[in-house]
Amino acid sequence: LDPADYVYPVLDVSRLYAANFGELRPAHFHAGIDIKTDGVEGKPLVAVADGYVSRVSLAAGGYGRAIYLTLDNGTTAVYGHLQRFRDDIEKRVREERYRNRSNGADLRFDAAEWPVRQGDTIGFSGNSGSSMGPHLHFELRDTPTQRLRNVVREGVIRPEDDLPPRIMRLHYIEVDTLDGIPVHRRPVSYAVVREAEGRYRLTREEPVGTGRKGYFVAEVTDRRNGVHNTFGVWRVSLAVDGEPRFEYRMDGFTHDLSRCCDAVSCYPMQLGSRNEAIRLARMERSPACFYPVAEERGIVRTAPGEVRRVRIEAEDDCGNRSALEFDIRGRADTFRAKADPAATALRPERTSTLRIGRTAHVTVPAGALYEPLFVRPEIRTAPEAPEGVIVLSPAYRFLDCTTPLRLAATAEIRTDIPRPLQLRTLLAVRNRHGRLSPAGGRCNNGIVRAATRSTGDFVVVADTLPPRVRPLFERGADLSRAEGLRFGAGDNFSGIAAWSLEIDGQWVPCDRFPIKGTLVHFFDTPPARSRHTVRLSVTDACGNTTRCETEFVR
């Protein structure tokens, strides 16, 4: 990219940041950067270069209100979490929503309809979608491939940052193989301290004991000047005796690789870490594009008594570096994996079906696993359920909750379901904290079936409680000066799936803000000092519905 092609995407802000490109998020890499808008909404957003508006979308989750610019220089700019589009685009979106009676929108345009010049206002910053506070999510993509670009590393956005990454903790995992399947020993962890800015050491003086082969996991994090947020790192490398063995680098990716963050990280550690737990070894099916260096996939070999020098280096996208150096010594004893005759081997290149009797099975498609592994399906005690949720089966474990899936597996459980509950059933999964979360699915002839990337203990449950809905205004309130109708809305378990709002019997669009727990209709006609009736219907993913009726004056 040529940084001179672009101007800054948002006006009148302090140019501070909340997140950077490629951070490890639950089940995805962060696809852009998050620019703080000084705690408020409504900051003008401008076209970073000449081009045209090629797409606008509006959804309850994700980017919320988002606008896409196809630029003349071959890139596409994406702006997410908007408060509103500029007036003419907002009007067009509103017309389409009314025409389709749809709360959401996803509109595409050709180059002639909405041309923009560099610096033109295209909308205003907000807090829509899956946003935890006012900010702009900004991306640049290569237009033909839609490959996401690291705009900080390539100099388009230049944060103030002279703070090197922090190396927080080190782990060593010895590995052996059985029938070509890696078996990992329990990690051994080591505390790390900072000696000076950018220089770290282990708290122990003696060498780290290592087996004949194993790999390291580095927990790292980063900071930027002026903010308390934590950030991801751009690069982590490993050298042994001065020879490069491994390097992970976040220069960009296509959306189909976003979920591979679960392979870049040491997933079982990442689940419980506030840092980035970077695996300094490449899993068999982790994409090669993230690893400029991967000698023996990053495996470190040591003979008994052999002493070697290890250097781990972390670098952020602004060029600040930190390093950790230490010695390792090969142990006399070594880890030898033992075969489990009750275990089943799963391989990434094959589709496999795991069964527990005639009541439950899971089909794991080819390409879903990042490496081959052994599993041992078993029946476990049914978990406790939250209020309004009825557990209807034992718990079935096929894959441990620390096993990530790139593609969805198909789970089926047969159980006795009372007829009144059959339309309210779905699969749930017990997470590592013992709590249930919905995994989706429907009941058909006593079998509940779901396609899911969740792993853990599956159970059949029925969600019997309807969503909670309440107006955020008094009945008959004068809303002449209000920007819209607001309702509080939430659900106990399966989640809000649909909603419909009518004013005086006429359907009107209604925006959902899931983080805030609100539904809002923004008024689009002038007040007439008249009384109106309003009806709101909200349905969860299991078909439970709540209806709310009230009045207001406007």
Side-chain angles (χ1 to χ4, degrees):
L1 301 180
D2 183 355
D5 283 353
Y6 304 91
V7 298
Y8 205 70
V10 56
L11 303 182
D12 305 329
V13 296
S14 301
R15 300 199 180 193
L16 298 175
Y17 302 87
N20 66 340
F21 179 81
E23 287 182 5
L24 304 182
R25 300 288 179 87
H28 70 282
F29 291 114
H30 189 232
I33 63 168
D34 288 349
I35 302 173
K36 289 176 177 280
T37 54
D38 303 335
V40 299
E41 301 183 37
K43 298 289 186 177
L45 306 178
V46 298
V48 291
D50 295 350
Y52 67 95
V53 177
S54 53
R55 179 186 178 191
V56 295
S57 62
L58 192 162
Y63 295 167
R65 267 183 164 79
I67 190 165
Y68 298 69
L69 305 184
T70 297
L71 305 176
D72 296 345
N73 61 17
T75 60
T76 296
V78 182
Y79 304 69
H81 307 304
L82 275 64
Q83 179 194 62
R84 66 186 191 279
F85 307 112
R86 76 182 191 199
D87 289 348
D88 52 350
I89 300 175
E90 188 72 37
K91 180 174 181 292
R92 176 65 176 275
V93 171
R94 184 169 61 249
E95 290 170 351
E96 291 294 329
R97 296 174 78 187
Y98 274 105
R99 181 178 295 113
N100 298 321
R101 292 173 61 92
S102 174
N103 290 314
D106 192 353
L107 309 178
R108 314 290 176 118
F109 307 106
D110 59 31
E113 193 154 5
W114 303 104
V116 294
R117 303 291 292 176
Q118 187 179 66
D120 285 354
T121 298
I122 57 171
F124 299 88
S125 69
N127 190 26
S128 59
S130 301
S131 172
M132 301 298 291
H135 74 281
L136 169 66
H137 174 90
F138 178 72
E139 301 173 9
L140 279 181
R141 305 176 180 180
D142 176 65
T143 298
T145 64
Q146 290 296 288
R147 182 176 182 271
L148 294 137
R149 309 295 292 262
N150 190 331
V151 295
V152 171
R153 188 66 195 176
E154 299 198 54
V156 175
I157 301 293
R158 297 181 179 275
E160 182 182 351
D161 183 4
D162 59 7
L163 304 176
R166 300 181 182 183
I167 301 175
M168 308 299 289
R169 198 164 178 79
L170 180 73
H171 310 273
Y172 174 72
I173 302 175
E174 198 171 352
V175 63
D176 192 19
T177 55
L178 284 175
D179 298 326
I181 297 176
V183 179
H184 307 267
R185 196 174 193 178
R186 184 182 298 275
V188 181
S189 301
Y190 301 94
V192 176
V193 294
R194 184 172 60 179
E195 285 188 313
E197 193 77 352
R199 192 168 75 244
Y200 291 79
R201 65 172 176 83
L202 300 182
T203 56
R204 57 185 284 148
E205 297 295 334
E206 64 272 21
V208 170
T210 54
R212 57 193 175 91
K213 62 178 180 178
Y215 60 91
F216 290 96
V217 176
E219 286 195 55
V220 295
T221 188
D222 192 36
R223 299 291 194 277
R224 293 211 198 284
N225 298 54
V227 297
H228 296 289
N229 304 74
T230 59
F231 297 84
V233 297
W234 169 61
R235 182 181 72 89
V236 182
S237 65
L238 173 103
V240 180
D241 296 333
E243 295 294 324
R245 297 288 299 173
F246 176 87
E247 182 179 341
Y248 159 71
R249 187 186 297 175
M250 175 41 67
D251 284 326
F253 59 93
T254 50
H255 278 288
D256 61 306
L257 301 182
S258 183
R259 200 173 187 93
C260 295
C261 69
D262 293 340
V264 164
S265 72
C266 182
Y267 185 71
M269 292 183 188
Q270 189 64 54
L271 290 173
S273 178
R274 300 179 64 181
N275 310 305
E276 292 194 319
I278 305 291
R279 182 195 298 261
L280 304 184
R282 179 189 167 198
M283 299 180 80
E284 181 180 304
R285 291 301 180 97
S286 188
C289 62
F290 298 124
Y291 308 104
V293 179
E295 298 295 328
E296 285 194 86
R297 295 202 185 120
I299 292 293
V300 178
R301 297 182 181 271
T302 45
E306 181 183 17
V307 176
R308 310 189 74 181
R309 186 69 172 173
V310 173
R311 177 182 173 90
I312 294 172
E313 190 172 271
E315 183 176 354
D316 66 24
D317 49 16
C318 292
N320 303 296
R321 297 182 183 183
S322 293
L324 166 68
E325 291 196 46
F326 56 95
D327 289 331
I328 60 175
R329 177 185 289 127
R331 296 193 304 263
D333 64 310
T334 190
F335 170 57
R336 297 289 184 181
K338 297 180 180 179
D340 181 351
T344 300
L346 300 184
R347 301 184 186 273
E349 68 275 11
R350 302 176 189 168
T351 295
S352 302
T353 298
L354 302 170
R355 299 183 182 276
I356 299 179
R358 296 183 178 181
T359 58
H361 70 268
V362 163
T363 299
V364 182
L369 297 172
Y370 293 106
E371 67 176 2
L373 73 158
F374 291 107
V375 296
R376 189 174 182 176
E378 59 180 325
I379 300 177
R380 300 172 66 87
T381 304
E384 294 184 5
E387 181 183 2
V389 176
I390 301 172
V391 176
L392 298 168
S393 77
Y396 297 90
R397 175 176 292 184
F398 299 95
L399 297 169
D400 186 88
C401 64
T402 60
T403 302
L405 293 180
R406 184 173 178 181
L407 304 177
T410 302
E412 291 189 8
I413 298 177
R414 181 188 297 273
T415 190
D416 292 328
I417 304 173
R419 183 175 294 274
L421 298 179
Q422 290 183 3
L423 295 179
R424 302 289 183 262
T425 57
L426 74 161
L427 288 187
V429 63
R430 176 165 47 191
N431 63 22
R432 63 192 181 92
H433 300 297
R435 294 191 292 268
L436 284 180
S437 58
R442 288 287 185 271
C443 175
N444 185 17
N445 295 324
I447 298 174
V448 181
R449 180 178 186 271
T452 179
R453 291 187 178 94
S454 298
T455 54
D457 299 350
F458 285 103
V459 294
V460 175
V461 300
D463 181 359
T464 64
L465 288 184
R468 304 176 301 276
V469 178
R470 63 184 181 90
L472 299 180
F473 55 91
E474 297 293 332
R475 186 179 187 88
D478 186 349
L479 302 182
S480 299
R481 296 185 178 182
E483 64 173 352
L485 283 176
R486 296 180 178 271
F487 299 83
D491 190 62
N492 67 308
F493 188 72
S494 59
I496 292 174
W499 60 97
S500 181
L501 181 66
E502 293 182 354
I503 297 178
D504 298 333
Q506 300 296 313
W507 182 92
V508 295
C510 185
D511 292 4
R512 182 176 172 226
F513 297 88
I515 304 300
K516 297 179 181 178
T518 57
L519 293 166
V520 184
H521 166 69
F522 294 100
F523 294 129
D524 50 22
T525 58
R529 302 293 300 174
S530 57
R531 184 172 293 273
H532 304 275
T533 60
V534 57
R535 296 183 179 88
L536 174 64
S537 174
V538 181
T539 303
D540 68 16
C542 286
N544 301 296
T545 299
T546 296
R547 294 176 176 83
C548 171
E549 296 189 14
T550 188
E551 299 178 343
F552 68 97
V553 173
R554 183 174 184 272

